């Protein structure tokens, strides 16, 4: 329990964060991760201790976790917060700031992107496009976790959803306390980002070829 408390304390930024160039040490401390999640209307259920209890299927269905052992999965779970969302509830909102990612543990999430209407038609409404539907094992929001830019898309629960939240600060704490697990996690997140960049580049090439 002491280890879990220590890792979850990393959700509060001082000390446990991954430093960014240009950040001011005198800046006011932001709200805790739990406060951010609750303000968004999400139910916070505590840490994801004993995440291995969800069974080997979680490892099989998740590109992030596929190389982890059950023991490593529990270590990672201690660094994460468990949240629950009801159908129709927004987990990640396009345009919001956020330095955490979601690992979808159960349920289905709709990922959408809003395209502003053209300036030539003031009465036109913004267009919402579906980027995809994600299920158990998917990772959402990892890009904003790293660069702290605003969220690119909106993620909405289609049915009841449970997800594990991993903050940027918790990763820093995990690397210090469990370097093997932290290093493996960083490699997997990097691979996910590289794959998404590759997929985006392939889609762009196909669009250009159609012109």
């Amino acid at each position: 329990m002491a280890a879990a408390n220590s890792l979850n304390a990393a959700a509060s930024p001082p000390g446990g964060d991954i430093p960014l160039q240009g950040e001011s040490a005198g800046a006011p401390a932001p709200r805790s991760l739990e406060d951010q999640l609750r303000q968004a209307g999400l139910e916070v259920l505590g840490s994801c201790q004993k995440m291995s209890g969800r069974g080997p299927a979680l490892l099989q269905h998740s590109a992030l976790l596929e190389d982890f052992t059950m023991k490593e999965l529990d270590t990672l779970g201690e660094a994460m917060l468990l949240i629950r969302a009801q159908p129709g509830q927004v987990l990640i909102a396009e345009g919001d700031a956020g330095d955490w990612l979601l690992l979808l543990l159960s349920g289905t999430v709709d990922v959408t992107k809003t395209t502003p209407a053209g300036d030539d038609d003031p009465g036109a409404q913004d267009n919402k496009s579906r980027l995809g539907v994600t299920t158990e094992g998917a990772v959402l929001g990892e890009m904003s976790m790293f660069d702290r830019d605003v969220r690119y898309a909106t993620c909405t629960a289609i049915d009841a959803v449970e997800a594990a939240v991993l903050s940027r600060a918790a990763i820093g704490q995990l690397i210090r306390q469990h370097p093997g697990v932290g290093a493996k996690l960083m490699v997997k997140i990097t691979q996910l980002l590289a794959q998404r960049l590759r997929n985006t580049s392939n889609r762009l090439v196909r669009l250009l070829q159609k012109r």
Side-chain angles (χ1 to χ4, degrees):
M1 182 62 71
N5 290 338
S6 177
L7 282 169
N8 283 324
S12 299
D17 209 350
I18 303 172
L20 282 177
Q21 185 177 1
E23 287 186 341
S24 172
R31 293 167 298 156
S32 71
L33 177 58
E34 290 190 45
D35 287 343
Q36 295 176 45
L37 296 170
R38 288 196 175 98
Q39 185 168 2
L42 300 169
E43 183 181 359
V44 181
L45 305 175
S47 75
C48 288
Q49 295 184 56
K50 300 298 180 183
M51 195 153 64
S52 61
R54 293 181 176 269
L58 179 60
L59 298 178
Q60 297 169 3
H61 294 160
S62 177
L64 178 69
L65 303 177
E66 60 186 3
D67 293 334
F68 282 76
T69 65
M70 287 296 188
K71 183 178 179 180
E72 290 172 335
L73 184 60
D74 283 340
T75 299
L76 178 60
E78 291 174 355
M80 307 176 86
L81 289 173
L82 179 63
I83 63 169
R84 182 179 293 149
Q86 300 305 316
Q89 195 167 9
V90 173
L91 293 99
I92 292 175
E94 180 180 351
D96 281 0
D99 61 353
W100 43 269
L101 61 77
L102 288 177
L103 170 64
L104 192 58
L105 300 176
S106 64
T108 311
V109 172
D110 193 18
V111 183
T112 57
K113 172 73 175 173
T114 300
T115 305
D119 295 336
D120 54 342
D121 187 359
Q125 295 183 342
D126 294 344
N127 297 316
K128 182 180 289 187
S129 302
R130 171 174 281 172
L131 301 182
V133 174
T134 62
T135 57
E136 177 186 354
V139 175
L140 302 167
E142 72 279 9
M143 188 174 297
S144 291
M145 184 194 70
F146 275 120
D147 64 13
R148 282 185 172 161
D149 202 351
V150 296
R151 302 295 193 183
Y152 175 76
T154 295
C155 302
T156 307
I158 295 177
D159 48 17
V161 163
E162 284 192 349
V165 181
L166 181 65
S167 71
R168 184 185 172 98
I171 292 180
Q173 193 84 347
L174 190 65
I175 289 171
R176 286 191 294 274
Q177 295 187 0
H178 304 279
V181 176
K184 183 177 288 189
L185 176 66
M186 292 298 292
V187 168
K188 297 306 294 184
I189 293 176
T190 302
Q191 290 176 343
L192 287 176
L193 288 170
Q195 184 61 52
R196 292 193 180 183
L197 177 60
R198 188 185 300 274
N199 292 341
T200 300
S201 297
N202 289 338
R203 286 196 295 269
L204 178 60
V205 168
R206 288 196 293 269
L207 287 173
L208 293 175
Q209 289 174 341
K210 291 179 180 179
R211 292 186 175 183

